[in-house]
Amino acid sequence: MSLPVSDVNKQPDYRTTMELGAVLPKTAEVKDDHLYIGGVDMVELAKQEGTALYVFDEADLTDRMEQYVSNFHAMYPNSDVAYASKAFINKEIYRIAKAQGMYLDVSGGGELAYAQAVDFPMEHIVVHGNNKTPRELEEAISAGVGHIIVDSRIELGRISEIAGRLGKTQDILMRITPGVEADTHEFIRTGCEDSKFGFTVKDDFAFKCVKDVMAAPNVNLVGFHCHIGSQIFALHSFREAVKVMIEFVARVQKEYGLTVSQLDLGGGLGIAYTAEDEPSTIAEFAEMTTSAVKDFCAEYGIELPHLMVEPGRSIVANAGVTLYTVGILKTLPGIRNIVAIDGGMSDNIRTALYHADYEPVVANKAGQKRDRIVTLVGKHCESGDAVACDRPIQTPEIGDIVCVFCTGAYCYTMASTYNGQPRPAIVFVKDGVARTVTRRETYADLMVRDI
Ligand code: LLP
């Protein structure tokens, strides 16, 4: 794997940091040419804590949680919002989600263990995954989780057997693949027909399976779930999915007499990764989904179900940034300018994996215009190891602190220790105070499981 070919004619955008629009975390400001987030000087923080460093604007992510909960409750009182922890997980984000009255979407036993560690109410947990192991299912059922999303017939048998053995009846939702092509990168699209997730509506497969799910002992089918993909800009995709789902629910109620009390629409709202991106707001997403549910329930003559959504990225992505120190500068004449930082694909695999775009700035020159085009490469033994390709930045020098915006989602949770790189610490900043909520991994941590 190598870097995408650089456009040598690309011109810088000459924007200063504060001109990066929706990319910036809520409390970003520039004072004396330094970038501040949560009232904390990012340059000083990088020096104190070392780099690479994940920093989260606590006010930003709390505000987004509040916006989700308040908009959904206002527009559709019988609803709840589950934070999709795969986007970013540590104990502190779970504590904050709990304090905000959110539910949690957990994928598997590890995420459930975090929830147990912070005494998250188990009835507010939704368990996902296309191949939850029997052990994970047993952990979830014995913990008393609210709902398990059943993804296949084989899994149905397992849940039923385990619940019976534990003397329980487990509430479940069936994951339906509604065949909607969402407007997003093909790798993170999940609702279309060629998908490993859920029961497809194609050839009436899902509809026929509902009968088996209803007949299975020790489980109680309370509703249906879908998730059409992630980083979705076109809100109409959600309306299309809702139509398929409500049509399905109406048919199931009519033909099988099943009372469907729950509808879970998954996550997927897109966010701004670049200054040019203009994503929909949380309120617009809430308006689109809740009005679609109301409209189609009216059209098909069914009662409004309890509604759930599972946002991940749109809660944490913009709140998070990554700080790095510039170590090496290289000019490849006629090819590109390389700026090597002290992290890379180990703390952010998204650029290598999806050719994701990010906005970088030099945090100690934050008030200056971005007058260079560079490729920010990492320190790993892999030619495709880059965090930002062909992006504008203030003229970088050795020792400068680079801040890459919008790294709050799917960076830490997809991080690795490739080349023996310890994973960065995570610092939450708020009201001028920085607190480390996950300490930096040490060399000893890397070896702690070895004999
Ligand atoms: N619910 C389910 C069942 C999901 O599979 C996902 C994400 C979500 C909710 C949350 O979706 P969000 O609101 O974050 O879009 N690693 C990729 C993203 C994979 C998303 C997987 N599922 C990335 O870095 O872009």
Side-chain angles (χ1 to χ4, degrees):
M1 187 179 57
S2 54
L3 295 171
V5 176
S6 181
D7 171 6
V8 286
N9 296 319
K10 186 167 177 180
Q11 294 301 310
D13 63 357
Y14 298 103
R15 291 185 209 229
T16 66
T17 303
M18 292 313 287
E19 290 166 349
L20 295 182
V23 164
L24 298 173
K26 182 182 160 88
T27 66
E29 53 184 337
V30 173
K31 289 192 272 189
D32 297 332
D33 237 7
H34 281 201
L35 170 66
Y36 282 68
I37 300 175
V40 174
D41 182 342
M42 291 298 109
V43 182
E44 285 306 310
L45 184 67
K47 295 207 167 127
Q48 275 162 25
E49 293 290 327
T51 48
L53 186 69
Y54 295 117
V55 183
F56 282 80
D57 181 350
E58 199 173 328
D60 186 297
L61 62 88
T62 312
D63 183 52
R64 287 170 201 261
M65 286 182 181
E66 275 168 13
Q67 281 187 51
Y68 261 109
V69 174
S70 61
N71 276 290
F72 271 90
H73 282 172
M75 295 179 201
Y76 196 108
N78 187 19
S79 66
D80 281 296
V81 183
Y83 169 61
S85 21
K86 69 206 81 180
F88 171 71
I89 194 170
N90 67 2
K91 288 187 190 172
E92 192 58 12
I93 191 89
Y94 271 17
R95 290 188 195 108
I96 296 173
K98 183 177 156 188
Q100 293 294 328
M102 297 189 82
Y103 280 47
L104 275 188
D105 148 0
V106 306
S107 314
E111 292 184 357
L112 179 62
Y114 274 90
Q116 288 173 307
V118 301
D119 288 326
F120 207 94
M122 286 296 128
E123 64 279 14
H124 290 179
I125 292 201
V126 182
V127 183
H128 277 286
N130 70 306
N131 184 14
K132 311 166 195 78
T133 65
R135 179 180 155 180
E136 288 175 316
L137 289 171
E138 181 151 351
E139 286 163 355
I141 297 167
S142 46
V145 297
H147 297 102
I148 296 180
I149 313 290
V150 60
D151 202 87
S152 63
R153 298 168 71 111
I154 293 173
E155 188 178 77
L156 171 68
R158 286 186 189 144
I159 299 173
S160 176
E161 183 272 316
I162 294 166
R165 187 154 41 77
L166 296 173
K168 297 201 175 205
T169 301
Q170 178 64 50
D171 281 351
I172 58 173
L173 272 68
M174 266 176 88
R175 178 162 178 168
I176 306 296
T177 325
V180 172
E181 296 273 342
D183 174 22
T184 186
H185 192 294
E186 60 176 320
F187 293 171
I188 48 182
R189 204 187 274 164
T190 44
C192 56
E193 276 157 9
D194 182 7
S195 168
K196 69 169 183 171
F197 298 103
F199 296 81
T200 177
V201 290
K202 195 163 186 276
D203 299 333
D204 249 4
F205 179 74
F207 186 72
K208 290 175 196 150
C209 290
V210 173
K211 248 193 155 152
D212 302 333
V213 180
M214 286 170 67
N218 318 314
V219 294
N220 183 21
L221 177 62
V222 294
F224 298 94
H225 169 278
C226 70
H227 170 79
I228 57 171
S230 202
Q231 185 55 7
I232 297 170
F233 273 49
L235 287 188
H236 64 83
S237 303
F238 292 105
R239 189 171 171 94
E240 285 161 35
V242 171
K243 182 173 190 320
V244 176
M245 294 300 287
I246 301 284
E247 201 175 346
F248 186 84
V249 167
R251 213 174 136 209
V252 161
Q253 294 204 162
K254 186 159 167 261
E255 295 190 29
Y256 297 150
L258 177 75
T259 310
V260 178
S261 57
Q262 305 264 355
L263 180 65
D264 183 338
L265 297 176
L269 175 61
I271 59 110
Y273 278 102
T274 72
E276 290 77 39
D277 288 340
E278 289 173 359
S280 303
T281 62
I282 291 169
E284 286 163 345
F285 171 75
E287 166 60 27
M288 175 60 91
T289 48
T290 57
S291 62
V293 173
K294 288 183 227 166
D295 291 351
F296 292 117
C297 282
E299 188 176 327
Y300 290 95
I302 60 169
E303 301 250 309
L304 291 178
H306 175 267
L307 180 64
M308 181 102 92
V309 286
E310 304 167 338
R313 187 192 316 266
S314 51
I315 287 179
V316 286
N318 289 99
V321 304
T322 313
L323 302 179
Y324 304 99
T325 305
V326 175
I328 301 286
L329 301 170
K330 277 186 192 169
T331 303
L332 309 183
I335 303 178
R336 70 173 88 236
N337 295 317
I338 286 182
V339 177
I341 38 105
D342 52 355
M345 65 194 301
S346 55
D347 59 76
N348 184 349
I349 189 72
R350 298 192 69 260
T351 308
L353 206 53
Y354 316 120
H355 294 166
D357 272 331
Y358 287 97
E359 296 289 8
V361 297
V362 174
N364 48 299
K365 297 172 183 165
Q368 300 174 27
K369 291 184 187 306
R370 302 197 302 175
D371 56 357
R372 291 293 160 93
I373 295 288
V374 304
T375 294
L376 279 186
V377 302
K379 66 194 289 290
H380 296 286
C381 302
E382 177 99 21
S383 351
D385 167 31
V387 167
C389 295
D390 263 357
R391 299 303 299 172
I393 194 168
Q394 293 86 351
T395 302
E397 294 166 286
I398 310 292
D400 277 349
I401 302 300
V402 166
C403 172
V404 176
F405 290 108
C406 287
T407 58
Y410 302 108
C411 286
Y412 175 61
T413 46
M414 293 171 79
S416 73
T417 58
Y418 183 39
N419 295 136
Q421 175 82 357
R423 279 169 293 190
I426 303 169
V427 177
F428 278 21
V429 289
K430 189 182 170 190
D431 298 333
V433 178
R435 54 191 186 111
T436 302
V437 291
T438 301
R439 68 160 171 78
R440 186 176 299 283
E441 205 163 30
T442 63
Y443 293 150
D445 289 335
L446 295 178
M447 292 172 256
V448 76
R449 291 168 299 116
D450 292 356
I451 49 167

